[in-house]
Amino acid sequence: MNRKSHRPGSWSLALATAAALTGGPAQAAGDDAATLKALQQQLQQIQAELKGLAEENRALKEHEAEVDRKLAALNAPAGGTAPVAQAVPVAPAAAVPDNTSALPNASALPSTAALSPTATASPGTTGPGLFGTGLRLWGYGEVYYTNPTSERQDSQFDLARAVFGIGYQFDEKTEFNSEYEVEHAVASADDPGEFEVEQFYVDRHLNDYVTARAGLFLMPFGLLNEHHEPTNFYGVQRNFVETLIIPSTWREGGLNFHGDTPLGIGWNAGVTTGFDLSKWDFAPEFPPYHTALDLENSGVAPLQATHQELALANGRHLSQYLALSYYGVPGLNLGAAISTGDAVPVPAPPNAPIPGNQRVALWEAHARWTPGPFDLTALYARGTISNTALINQSNPGSPNPIPSAFYGYYFQGAMQAWQHGDYKLNPFVRYEVYNMGSKYDGTAGPVIPEGDVPLSAAPGDYGRWPVWYDRVWTVGANFYLGPHLVLKTDYQWFKDNVDFKRWDLGLGIAF
């Protein structure tokens, strides 16, 4: 419906003008009377429109009440009385960090845009939920094209992941969140895809500063693991350090307590399932990867290969973790986290028992600063596995022994170079170093065959066995079409695995 727009300011001006005119000189009385009459007619017209709007508002309220009655009838149990539809109460909002950044920071999970390790779906961030209930739906996904410029026959298009979330807020203190992911488009026994539960937990808000969480949840490590929607990171693929050293997306089953303080300090502490070294493959028949994309998807990194994801997880040994963050200065986020715990041991030969347990530890520290249009990030992560000497000695000549130490770090700079309405262009550059085995006990390191070796069982598929460390430069840009849609491109080149260099294109969504 089209209507004329009348602002209160114009009414005041009209009245003031009328008042001034009525007090004018006598010789202008005739003109003043005509002007005053015109203003009176205009005011009468405004009053008539206001009366019409009031009637329309009353009709809309009656229609809304009728819709609520119908929804309540639909939701009523069989033979029961239909409950009256009510809005979900809103709990007091906890302090969250300032996220001023070149990135739009549109997180798929309700209210997980905060970069503190206490990220949680805060009640009230999505209103009363779907159809006036506590139900919430969200999702994200990414499609990409990758072109290894030295091995163009390995170019691929892929629906890398499609993730859908379901949440429910039971009351102002209790809520449930979950995510379900399909990777590589098709999941079956004969296809490369997977279907998995990425998150499944319940939060109970104890007070304004403490929340308890139980279930399968993301570990609060680094900048990416809890905020891995494609709209939240630069580049088509996730960075190598937060994939190979911090095994994003890293989730464990357990219990934690987390919260935020008025001083801008976030904390998160918990007990979770640990790592399972009994799954370690000391004698792979073929190289576990021969392209950069294979490297990210192979699950061969130390913690990728051993974390349990609450899939019939061994509960004999549990891990403990603590994460802290500081976001009291606008545009600055500092954080650190540490996890440690005994792992499920590698089976020992009957005649050579291995005393003691293997203990797995990981710690990281990160910083993000977003002055004006710039977004500057640095992260360092290091892990250790103890008591591996006898294990490696019992597997001599292995191309894949268990490392006693591994690490990685990166520096990244980005800026918002152009904006027009919802469109934003953010170029970036990143330098990263990763080493999946910086130290080995009981062996000098992986024994890698020289020259060309079979890369798979396919005839004629030969190449070199890759090394487990590298230095990588990435240059690219994110082009945002609003906060929920991004187009990406980048080029990567590698110092050690030189044939891994590639050019990527990507599409990401989050809602």
Side-chain angles (χ1 to χ4, degrees):
M1 181 181 296
N2 294 324
R3 295 188 179 91
K4 295 180 181 178
S5 175
H6 298 283
R7 295 176 298 177
S10 63
W11 305 349
S12 300
L13 179 61
L15 293 173
T17 305
L21 288 173
T22 56
Q27 60 266 30
D31 293 340
D32 291 349
T35 302
L36 181 60
K37 184 177 181 180
L39 290 173
Q40 290 173 341
Q41 291 175 347
Q42 185 177 7
L43 289 173
Q44 290 173 354
Q45 183 180 1
I46 292 173
Q47 291 172 347
E49 290 190 14
L50 289 174
K51 183 178 180 181
L53 288 172
E55 290 294 324
E56 183 178 347
N57 184 55
R58 182 186 60 78
L60 286 173
K61 286 185 176 181
E62 291 179 356
H63 178 69
E64 182 180 2
E66 179 65 21
V67 170
D68 287 342
R69 285 193 294 271
K70 289 181 179 180
L71 287 174
L74 289 173
N75 291 327
T81 303
V84 178
Q86 296 181 348
V88 176
V90 178
V96 297
D98 182 280
N99 283 321
T100 305
S101 168
L103 280 172
N105 228 347
S107 177
L109 271 173
S111 84
T112 56
L115 292 177
S116 75
T118 62
T120 178
S122 175
T125 56
T126 57
L130 186 65
F131 304 126
T133 71
L135 182 65
R136 294 192 299 267
L137 302 175
W138 65 91
Y140 64 92
E142 49 193 322
V143 179
Y144 54 65
Y145 166 75
T146 181
N147 180 5
T149 56
S150 296
E151 304 286 345
R152 294 186 184 276
Q153 70 275 11
D154 293 324
S155 298
Q156 288 185 330
F157 272 104
D158 189 28
L159 173 55
R161 54 187 51 87
V163 183
F164 301 95
I166 301 174
Y168 192 84
Q169 185 166 328
F170 299 101
D171 52 46
E172 69 275 12
K173 293 184 177 180
T174 311
E175 61 186 64
F176 162 74
N177 284 298
S178 62
E179 284 188 351
Y180 307 88
E181 178 173 355
V182 178
E183 294 184 351
H184 311 303
V186 181
S188 74
D190 301 323
D191 295 291
E194 294 182 358
F195 176 82
E196 56 193 19
V197 179
E198 189 167 276
Q199 299 188 69
F200 192 96
Y201 64 84
V202 174
D203 273 347
R204 177 71 177 182
H205 301 277
L206 305 180
N207 56 48
D208 288 352
Y209 305 111
V210 181
T211 297
R213 175 173 297 176
L216 175 67
F217 50 81
L218 300 176
M219 299 292 285
F221 279 65
L223 292 166
L224 181 66
N225 197 58
E226 288 188 300
H227 311 280
H228 52 266
E229 298 83 10
T231 51
N232 281 345
F233 63 87
Y234 292 106
V236 177
Q237 310 288 341
R238 300 169 183 179
N239 70 75
F240 289 103
V241 177
E242 292 186 272
T243 303
L244 304 177
I245 309 304
I246 301 174
S248 300
T249 304
W250 180 18
R251 59 228 185 235
E252 298 289 353
L255 170 70
N256 76 37
F257 293 89
H258 58 270
D260 297 276
T261 73
L263 300 177
I265 298 174
W267 60 274
N268 190 327
V271 177
T272 68
T273 50
F275 295 92
D276 185 355
L277 291 176
S278 69
K279 301 187 294 183
W280 194 272
D281 184 6
F282 289 90
E285 183 179 1
F286 305 107
Y289 55 91
H290 68 278
T291 68
L293 184 59
D294 285 345
L295 172 60
E296 291 178 308
N297 293 333
S298 66
V300 71
L303 301 189
Q304 283 182 325
T306 56
H307 70 116
Q308 302 190 73
E309 301 177 326
L310 210 57
L312 297 177
N314 188 305
R316 171 70 184 277
H317 301 291
L318 299 179
S319 295
Q320 309 83 45
Y321 76 86
L322 172 66
L324 298 173
S325 68
Y326 174 74
Y327 44 85
V329 177
L332 179 65
N333 178 272
L334 304 175
I338 184 170
S339 170
T340 183
D342 287 346
V344 179
V346 175
N351 58 347
I354 300 173
N357 295 321
Q358 290 80 51
R359 191 168 189 85
V360 178
L362 176 72
W363 67 270
E364 63 85 18
H366 60 264
R368 185 181 182 190
W369 185 37
T370 56
F374 298 99
D375 190 345
L376 308 176
T377 304
L379 181 144
Y380 181 90
R382 180 178 179 84
T384 59
I385 305 175
S386 68
N387 196 25
T388 59
L390 293 178
I391 299 172
N392 288 330
Q393 288 172 6
S394 65
N395 292 273
S398 170
N400 188 37
I402 297 179
S404 58
F406 47 95
Y407 73 92
Y409 59 89
Y410 72 84
F411 303 97
Q412 179 179 274
M415 68 172 295
Q416 183 177 296
W418 175 83
Q419 179 177 5
H420 180 73
D422 288 337
Y423 298 115
K424 296 180 181 180
L425 178 64
N426 295 1
F428 75 95
V429 60
R430 179 172 62 241
Y431 175 71
E432 55 187 318
V433 174
Y434 69 84
N435 191 327
M436 294 184 286
S438 59
K439 182 182 178 183
Y440 292 87
D441 291 337
T443 179
V447 179
I448 293 179
E450 295 183 1
D452 289 345
V453 298
L455 299 178
S456 69
D461 188 14
Y462 287 87
R464 292 186 174 274
W465 197 292
V467 295
W468 58 95
Y469 50 86
D470 220 320
R471 292 159 287 178
V472 187
W473 281 97
T474 306
V475 176
N478 287 12
F479 181 66
Y480 292 93
L481 290 78
H484 305 289
L485 180 63
V486 61
L487 302 175
K488 302 183 179 184
T489 186
D490 61 49
Y491 184 81
Q492 293 184 317
W493 59 96
F494 298 74
K495 178 67 175 178
D496 297 291
N497 295 297
V498 292
D499 290 339
F500 281 14
K501 57 182 180 291
R502 63 180 179 177
W503 171 61
D504 298 322
L505 288 172
L507 165 67
I509 63 171
F511 59 90

